[in-house]
Amino acid sequence: MTDIASLKSGLLADIAAAATLDAVEGLRVGALGKQGVVTALLKTLGGMSPDERQTQGPAIQDLREAVTAAIAERKGALEQAALDARLADERLDMTLPADIGPQGSVHPVSQVMDELAEIFADLGFSVATGPEIEDDWHNFTALNIPETHPARAMHDTFYFPDETARDGKKMLLRTHTSPVQIRTMLEQKPPIRIIAPGRVYRSDSDATHTPMFHQIEGLVIDRGITLGHLKWTLETFLKAFFERDDIVLRLRPSYFPFTEPSVEVDVGYTLVNGQRVIGGSGNDKDGGWLEVLGSGMVHRKVIEACGLDPDEWQGFAFGTGVDRLAMLKYGMNDLRAFFDGDLRWLRHYGFSALDVPTLSGGVGA
């Protein structure tokens, strides 16, 4: 009969003395494997008499459990020792610069939108938005644009099928953000100071025009508003946007159905190394004038269409292309590249997500 007590003490001593994980595994196989000594003892239980099984069984089971626990404990201790040794030997130099992974960039249009919002917020304007799918009343009629105006023609405006009409009004993709002005005057009591940035759609495409582009319009409605307020607002805005104090404006009489009087706004520029740079009087031999804005005093009929008394409330409005402003400020010469999705162009002209425009740091920082 095998001396179970001696076998147990010998196995436990060997396990405790094992110096490597391979040695522990060898002892496990020798004791608990298919041909192991402990496994052989367990197999003898079936041939014992009930009395022998009652006396030998508990001792054999205790041997198996003790050996199993000792092997698990020794294996865990050796694995922990190996991990401690590895942590002690290996070092990470945290002073090395980290690799810069792929990074996106802010599109120039988005950046300029943020710049404009920052500038006009400082002037007391809030941002207003409206639907891009409009009806012809908000887009044309309420803005004093007659039925015969060329802007209403199919070759200039994207119309939806007639079955999409609502309340007898034809639906279309808005051609300007002016409908936002109408909706604001209908929903909000004066005084009103808003800018309306957003996408607009016209049937046009060349180096300086695309079927979809971005526009920003401004509206002020209050008592006693004059053309002088408009000129000061635009001058202050353009100085902040182009970050130059030598911005000079020239206002030329023009015609827009929704303003009266109407003025086109030119800004002086100079040529530097063949590049047009905004700034200067426009009368220099190396300079000239460039149209950047359309504006004027809000027409009486527009104010009346919104349920306001034009004898009490006056205002001015202006509008310009966001894409055009981006081209002038950041030296781009083809509007179509804005919408090509060329990553090389975006990496060159794009902005870091951390370049948040601020008046204190420079809106174009």
Side-chain angles (χ1 to χ4, degrees):
M1 180 65 65
T2 302
D3 185 351
I4 295 177
S6 298
L7 178 60
K8 177 180 178 181
S9 62
L11 287 173
L12 295 179
D14 290 341
I15 293 170
T20 65
L21 290 172
D22 289 340
V24 172
E25 179 62 14
L27 291 170
R28 185 194 70 78
V29 173
L32 303 175
K34 290 183 178 181
Q35 306 299 323
V37 292
V38 175
T39 304
L41 286 174
L42 289 170
K43 290 179 180 180
T44 64
L45 290 174
M48 294 181 181
S49 65
D51 291 338
E52 289 176 329
R53 191 179 301 115
Q54 187 174 4
T55 57
Q56 295 292 322
I60 295 174
Q61 291 291 348
D62 177 68
L63 171 63
R64 182 177 67 84
E65 292 174 0
V67 170
T68 301
I71 288 174
E73 181 180 356
R74 185 58 182 163
K75 183 179 179 181
L78 290 173
E79 288 176 343
Q80 184 62 46
L83 178 60
D84 292 342
R86 182 179 175 185
L87 292 175
D89 292 338
E90 293 182 357
R91 290 287 187 274
L92 290 176
D93 188 350
M94 303 304 291
T95 64
L96 291 175
D99 292 335
I100 299 177
Q103 291 183 324
S105 58
V106 177
H107 195 283
V109 169
S110 299
Q111 181 75 9
V112 170
M113 286 276 204
D114 289 342
E115 294 178 15
L116 297 175
E118 178 72 14
I119 292 169
F120 282 106
D122 189 61
L123 295 175
F125 287 69
S126 60
V127 176
T129 59
E132 294 179 22
I133 298 177
E134 266 292 2
D135 59 65
D136 62 351
W137 188 86
H138 286 90
N139 196 83
F140 293 126
T141 307
L143 289 161
N144 195 39
I145 299 176
E147 294 285 344
T148 56
H149 195 280
R152 290 186 182 246
M154 293 290 291
H155 60 76
D156 279 336
T157 301
F158 294 105
Y159 285 95
F160 287 87
D162 291 339
E163 55 265 25
T164 62
R166 299 176 188 171
D167 300 327
K169 301 171 183 175
K170 298 184 67 173
M171 303 304 294
L172 49 90
L173 292 176
R174 67 183 183 186
T175 59
H176 44 192
T177 58
S178 300
V180 178
Q181 299 182 27
I182 299 298
R183 292 180 178 275
T184 302
M185 285 192 282
L186 288 170
E187 298 168 2
Q188 180 179 327
K189 293 182 179 180
I192 296 171
R193 287 174 175 78
I194 63 161
I195 55 170
R199 288 184 289 265
V200 298
Y201 306 85
R202 297 179 190 175
S203 184
D204 202 355
S205 182
D206 56 43
T208 56
H209 298 85
T210 54
M212 185 279 290
F213 58 99
H214 300 83
Q215 192 178 65
I216 184 168
E217 297 189 8
L219 172 71
V220 170
I221 299 292
D222 207 337
R223 294 183 177 92
I225 297 298
T226 69
L227 202 62
H229 296 120
L230 169 63
K231 184 176 184 297
W232 178 89
T233 301
L234 296 181
E235 190 174 65
T236 302
F237 149 58
L238 291 171
K239 285 182 178 180
F241 179 74
F242 289 106
E243 301 178 71
R244 294 180 64 117
D245 291 328
D246 60 345
I247 296 295
V248 179
L249 302 187
R250 182 178 70 176
L251 274 59
R252 290 181 290 106
S254 184
Y255 166 76
F256 302 111
F258 32 82
T259 53
E260 178 60 36
S262 303
V263 292
E264 299 278 7
V265 180
D266 300 336
V267 63
Y269 71 86
T270 54
L271 292 176
V272 179
N273 298 324
Q275 182 74 30
R276 181 186 292 147
V277 177
I278 300 299
S281 67
N283 296 318
D284 301 333
K285 64 177 181 178
D286 294 326
W289 296 98
L290 183 69
E291 177 193 329
V292 292
L293 286 149
S295 62
M297 304 300 294
V298 180
H299 200 289
R300 290 177 59 90
K301 290 185 177 180
V302 175
I303 296 176
E304 288 176 345
C306 295
L308 300 175
D309 182 358
D311 292 325
E312 179 182 4
W313 302 103
Q314 302 82 44
F316 63 77
F318 58 88
T320 185
V322 176
D323 318 278
R324 179 171 172 78
L325 290 178
M327 293 173 70
L328 291 173
K329 184 171 182 177
Y330 295 111
M332 309 161 193
N333 55 17
D334 193 331
L335 181 62
R336 292 169 294 190
F338 279 59
F339 310 104
D340 285 343
D342 190 327
L343 290 179
R344 296 167 300 176
W345 186 90
L346 289 171
R347 291 190 188 104
H348 180 77
Y349 287 109
F351 293 80
S352 167
L354 300 179
D355 289 339
V356 179
T358 62
L359 290 177
S360 58
V363 291

